[in-house]
């Protein structure tokens, strides 16, 4: 079967612009096609604001997706929840890129990757989807749709992040003033620095490099949770910082 990347890109762009969800136009089984769709959407919407990356376990292969132009929003953020197909919230540890690193063919070592990272910050990924019946779709299509990213809210800066005991960080999620998550740990990868370094290498070798000011967010500590319009969400890494948004 022939895969028409341009058709998929056009469908996703039209869904973003019209606010109308679309059904995937064909089956996806090739990860390179997923990346090509991501890149096509990003090329049509402006320079990417950064990347999201997640891994289900400490050893699993991470999944990357662009944060499109305009996706970084300062906390406290406000969104039109009624205009969204769904309101998904994830509390994450995110990082700013502090130095350009140009595209190249050779791998980026772990130490070099960390050398281009500035501060960490408490992030809130806001999730929505351009795809109809997303619960029944092949996960590759969700990844092609930038893993359902809508925005990344930039919360409190975290200093000295290299010294943190990641597995024992305490994270909370408050919804309309009520605490619904209060736990230690929760990130599938456990240590967010491994997917961070993987993402930097991937972006440099395969996705055009990285620029100062871009952000990389490294997966949910609280799980993906859905809420109705009117919700106020606040996520906190206790003793480190917080992030909040109104929908």
């Amino acid at each position: 079967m022939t895969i028409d990347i341009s058709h998929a890109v056009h469908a996703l762009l039209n869904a973003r612009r019209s606010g109308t969800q679309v059904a995937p136009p064909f089956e996806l089984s090739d990860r390179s096609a997923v990346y090509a769709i991501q890149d096509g959407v990003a090329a049509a919407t402006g320079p990417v604001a950064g990347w999201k990356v997640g891994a289900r376990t400490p050893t699993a292969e991470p999944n990357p997706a662009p944060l499109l132009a305009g996706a970084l929003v300062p906390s406290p953020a406000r969104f039109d929840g009624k205009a969204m197909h769904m309101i998904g919230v994830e509390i994450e540890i995110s990082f700013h890129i502090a130095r350009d690193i140009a595209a190249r063919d050779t791998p980026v070592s772990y130490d070099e990757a960390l050398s281009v990272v500035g501060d960490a910050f408490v992030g809130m990924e806001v999730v929505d989807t351009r795809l109809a019946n997303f619960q029944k779709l092949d996960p590759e299509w969700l990844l092609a749709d930038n893993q359902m990213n809508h925005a990344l809210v930039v919360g409190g800066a975290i200093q000295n992040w290299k010294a943190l005991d990641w597995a024992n960080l305490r994270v909370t999620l408050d919804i309309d003033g009520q605490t619904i998550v209060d736990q230690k740990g929760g990130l599938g990868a456990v240590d967010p620095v491994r997917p961070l370094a993987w993402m930097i290498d991937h972006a440099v070798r395969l996705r055009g490099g990285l620029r100062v000011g871009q952000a990389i967010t490294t997966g949910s500590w609280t799980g993906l949770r859905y809420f109705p319009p009117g919700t106020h969400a606040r996520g906190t890494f206790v003793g480190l910082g917080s992030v909040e948004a109104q929908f």
Side-chain angles (χ1 to χ4, degrees):
M1 181 182 65
T2 300
I3 293 177
D4 186 345
I5 297 298
S6 64
H7 179 50
V9 169
H10 177 77
L12 289 172
L13 286 170
N14 186 59
R16 287 179 177 274
R17 292 162 180 164
S18 68
T20 301
Q21 290 177 316
V22 297
F26 47 74
E27 292 184 5
L28 268 180
S29 58
D30 181 352
R31 182 54 65 91
S32 64
V34 171
Y35 295 160
I37 294 168
Q38 291 179 348
D39 290 344
V41 171
T45 55
V48 299
W51 295 87
K52 60 175 290 183
V53 62
R56 293 186 178 277
T57 71
T59 58
E61 179 81 357
N63 289 316
L67 303 174
L68 298 183
L72 301 185
V73 182
S75 176
R78 182 173 293 273
F79 299 92
D80 183 358
K82 293 181 179 179
M84 298 172 66
H85 301 292
M86 62 185 185
I87 299 168
V89 171
E90 299 178 325
I91 306 306
E92 311 199 357
I93 295 287
S94 310
F95 301 84
H96 280 122
I97 297 301
R99 180 168 61 83
D100 291 351
I101 181 166
R104 69 187 198 215
D105 295 331
T106 55
V108 180
S109 72
Y110 183 88
D111 288 343
E112 183 185 3
L114 296 197
S115 75
V116 307
V117 178
D119 65 350
F121 62 92
V122 181
M124 178 188 295
E125 186 179 5
V126 179
V127 171
D128 197 358
T129 181
R130 278 55 61 181
L131 298 170
N133 300 317
F134 76 95
Q135 301 96 330
K136 299 179 180 179
L137 296 182
D138 185 321
E140 294 296 279
W141 264 108
L142 302 182
L143 186 60
D145 184 33
N146 292 355
Q147 200 65 27
M148 305 195 298
N149 178 261
H150 182 74
L152 178 65
V153 184
V154 178
I158 300 172
Q159 307 299 328
N160 301 318
W161 53 266
K162 292 180 181 179
L164 292 176
D165 179 6
W166 298 112
N168 289 303
L169 292 191
R170 181 182 166 201
V171 59
T172 64
L173 175 59
D174 295 325
I175 300 297
D176 298 328
Q178 300 295 315
T179 301
I180 66 168
V181 176
D182 187 343
Q183 65 191 31
K184 285 187 178 180
L187 181 68
V190 181
D191 179 353
V193 180
R194 185 185 80 89
L196 170 68
W198 182 96
M199 185 67 246
I200 292 170
D201 174 66
H202 175 85
V204 168
R205 289 189 299 107
L206 300 174
R207 313 303 283 273
L210 290 166
R211 303 187 320 277
V212 170
Q214 288 180 320
I216 295 176
T217 193
T218 54
S220 178
W221 292 64
T222 54
L224 175 54
R225 297 167 182 266
Y226 300 103
F227 304 102
T231 295
H232 179 270
R234 179 181 178 87
T236 302
F237 283 93
V238 177
L240 298 178
S242 62
V243 63
E244 58 185 294
Q246 178 76 40
F247 300 92

